[in-house]
Amino acid sequence: TQLLEQSPQFLSIQEGENLTVYCNSSSVFSSLQWYRQEPGEGPVLLVTVVTGGEVKKLKRLTFQFGDARKDSSLHITAAQPGDTGLYLCTRRGSARQLTFGSGTQLTVLP
Amino acid sequence: EPEVTQTPSHQVTQMGQEVILRCVPISNHLYFYWYRQILGQKVEFLVSFYNNEISEKSEIFDDQFSVERPDGSNFTLKIRSTKLEDSAMYFCASSSSGLTTDTQYFGPGTRLTVL
């Protein structure tokens, strides 16, 4: 089983602070996706990264894929209460199925 | 914007009863999936479906589960004889292709409670 480890498990910060969350695997990703899930809703895709060393930016969110394609980070600048949610990394299987990490629960306090 | 819809939003059933969870994938999508999330646990893959047949299924997807695309729009998950441990959020997802970078769009989920 190819496990995904996400850290930290929980993160509570004040509005305006910066933060980074991590996703690690012992095996190489063919591609990695970051999703965000809010209570009572399904996961929503934020970004897909494919190439080692790739950096993608989505407004205040910066996603980095490790050179060896075994890890990824998500950095949020000047966090806002609307960023609160469960951040999940996923890997694609051979039949397109997604394997999810356990997630980082982010709470941004006003 | 097109979205995946699921009904019902919440289903309560007695242990041993059959339930059918319904999903309407995005209309031009070809690949369909069911996932589940037990409270406090990870989202887990159940099954993928393409061209009217199962592409892949997990160990969770045993003989009590089945999927069907009865018409051109609906995609259903049936649990024949529910158990207490089937209580979970069930998410349907769809994607337009099988490419590595293709996005799976998730529905809002059905919360199944087995009493």
Side-chain angles (χ1 to χ4, degrees):
Chain A
T1 304
Q2 296 171 325
L3 296 177
L4 301 180
E5 294 187 358
Q6 291 192 244
S7 61
Q9 188 177 358
F10 298 97
L11 185 57
S12 182
I13 62 170
Q14 293 293 136
E15 183 176 1
E17 293 183 352
N18 302 332
L19 66 112
T20 303
V21 298
Y22 302 91
C23 174
N24 293 281
S25 173
S26 58
S27 54
V28 173
F29 291 89
S30 57
S31 69
L32 182 149
Q33 295 80 36
W34 283 95
Y35 282 80
R36 188 173 83 188
Q37 185 181 18
E38 299 188 34
E41 298 183 12
V44 175
L45 181 70
L46 297 174
V47 78
T48 297
V49 287
V50 179
T51 305
E54 185 175 3
V55 177
K56 283 192 174 178
K57 292 194 173 186
L58 186 66
K59 297 182 181 178
R60 293 175 294 99
L61 278 60
T62 302
F63 303 86
Q64 187 157 8
F65 200 18
D67 291 340
R69 291 167 40 224
K70 289 185 177 182
D71 56 87
S72 180
S73 63
L74 159 57
H75 181 81
I76 302 179
T77 303
Q80 299 177 0
D83 296 326
T84 294
L86 180 65
Y87 288 82
L88 300 161
C89 68
T90 74
R91 72 185 313 138
R92 294 284 292 266
S94 57
R96 292 166 289 281
Q97 75 274 29
L98 297 177
T99 298
F100 283 81
S102 54
T104 292
Q105 180 60 55
L106 172 65
T107 303
V108 182
L109 303 170
Chain B
E1 185 175 324
E3 58 183 18
V4 176
T5 59
Q6 290 185 243
T7 55
S9 58
H10 193 180
Q11 173 89 48
V12 181
T13 190
Q14 294 289 326
M15 188 171 59
Q17 294 295 305
E18 175 183 286
V19 295
I20 298 177
L21 310 183
R22 302 181 191 280
C23 168
V24 179
I26 294 174
S27 62
N28 63 342
H29 283 186
L30 302 176
Y31 295 83
F32 314 112
Y33 314 85
W34 283 101
Y35 294 83
R36 79 170 185 192
Q37 186 176 30
I38 295 172
L39 186 64
Q41 297 186 21
K42 298 180 187 182
V43 177
E44 301 173 289
F45 167 75
L46 292 178
V47 66
S48 59
F49 191 86
Y50 170 69
N51 199 27
N52 283 319
E53 44 182 47
I54 291 174
S55 307
E56 183 78 21
K57 58 183 181 179
S58 71
E59 292 177 353
I60 303 167
F61 194 88
D62 61 22
D63 291 344
Q64 70 163 337
F65 291 92
S66 62
V67 290
E68 193 178 27
R69 188 153 163 83
D71 52 43
S73 60
N74 290 283
F75 180 51
T76 62
L77 174 68
K78 181 192 290 186
I79 309 176
R80 289 192 185 82
S81 178
T82 50
K83 304 175 203 170
L84 296 176
E85 54 264 37
D86 294 328
S87 294
M89 282 289 287
Y90 287 82
F91 294 106
C92 172
S94 69
S95 62
S96 60
S97 77
L99 295 176
T100 301
T101 54
D102 192 29
T103 299
Q104 290 187 22
Y105 293 87
F106 283 76
T110 292
R111 180 172 297 283
L112 176 64
T113 302
V114 182
L115 302 176

